[in-house]
């Protein structure tokens, strides 16, 4: 994920967590807050409850990769914080990817799919 799309500023990270709306899944939590810029950003965290450093790093990597793959489906103008939960340690990538997609859909930050037709008439 490009640096521009990462949420790295500690104060904004905390603001999203404090003021944003949260959506929970068994593997992770998503907190969203609208931003005033023409693109979305994502931040990732895993507390010590998840495990030691190697487990926390793996949890963050799994979430980052799942978001990176689907980032072009996210509508612009959102700051998102993904928080790992302890069960993520035993999850494989497919499970994490499904959880991320469910959370993004529930949060309403995915782009609307285009019309089912091709736009051609007649």
């Amino acid at each position: 994920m490009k640096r521009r799309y990462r949420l790295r500023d500690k104060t904004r990270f905390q603001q999203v967590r404090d003021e944003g709306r949260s959506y929970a899944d068994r593997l992770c939590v998503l907190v969203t807050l609208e931003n005033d810029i023409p693109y979305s950003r994502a931040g990732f965290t895993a507390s010590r409850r998840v495990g030691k450093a190697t487990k926390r790093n793996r949890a963050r990597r799994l979430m980052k990769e799942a978001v990176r793959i689907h980032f072009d489906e996210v509508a612009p103008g959102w700051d998102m914080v993904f928080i790992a939960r302890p069960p993520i340690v035993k999850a494989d990538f497919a499970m994490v990817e499904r959880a991320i997609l469910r959370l993004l859909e529930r949060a309403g930050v995915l782009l609307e799919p285009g019309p089912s037709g091709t736009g051609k008439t007649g």
Side-chain angles (χ1 to χ4, degrees):
M1 183 178 283
K2 292 184 180 178
R3 182 181 207 101
R4 170 185 201 181
Y5 303 121
R6 284 188 251 156
L7 188 59
R8 297 171 53 89
D9 181 39
K10 188 176 182 178
T11 56
R12 181 62 180 171
F13 207 97
Q14 194 60 49
Q15 184 181 16
V16 172
R17 290 190 67 180
D18 292 341
E19 299 174 19
R21 180 130 190 247
S22 76
Y23 305 87
D25 187 80
R26 190 174 71 82
L27 301 178
C28 54
V29 176
L30 167 63
V31 185
T32 61
L33 186 63
E34 287 189 67
N35 64 29
D36 296 327
I37 53 178
Y39 53 89
S40 290
R41 299 180 294 191
F44 304 88
T45 186
S47 73
R48 288 190 182 150
R49 284 181 35 213
V50 173
K52 295 199 179 210
T54 53
K55 291 182 180 181
R56 294 194 309 267
N57 290 337
R58 180 177 181 274
R60 281 193 297 269
R61 280 196 312 269
L62 287 171
M63 292 188 300
K64 282 180 186 179
E65 182 63 11
V67 171
R68 185 190 68 80
I69 290 172
H70 298 285
F71 198 71
D72 57 339
E73 300 169 32
V74 175
W78 291 96
D79 281 342
M80 303 170 288
V81 172
F82 292 87
I83 305 164
R85 286 186 154 177
I88 201 169
V89 171
K90 297 190 191 277
D92 62 5
F93 177 72
M95 294 168 64
V96 174
E97 184 178 23
R98 282 193 301 271
I100 295 286
L101 281 173
R102 273 194 305 269
L103 290 172
L104 290 171
E105 189 174 323
R106 283 183 43 212
V109 298
L110 291 177
L111 290 170
E112 295 295 319
S116 58
T118 58
K120 297 179 183 175
T121 56

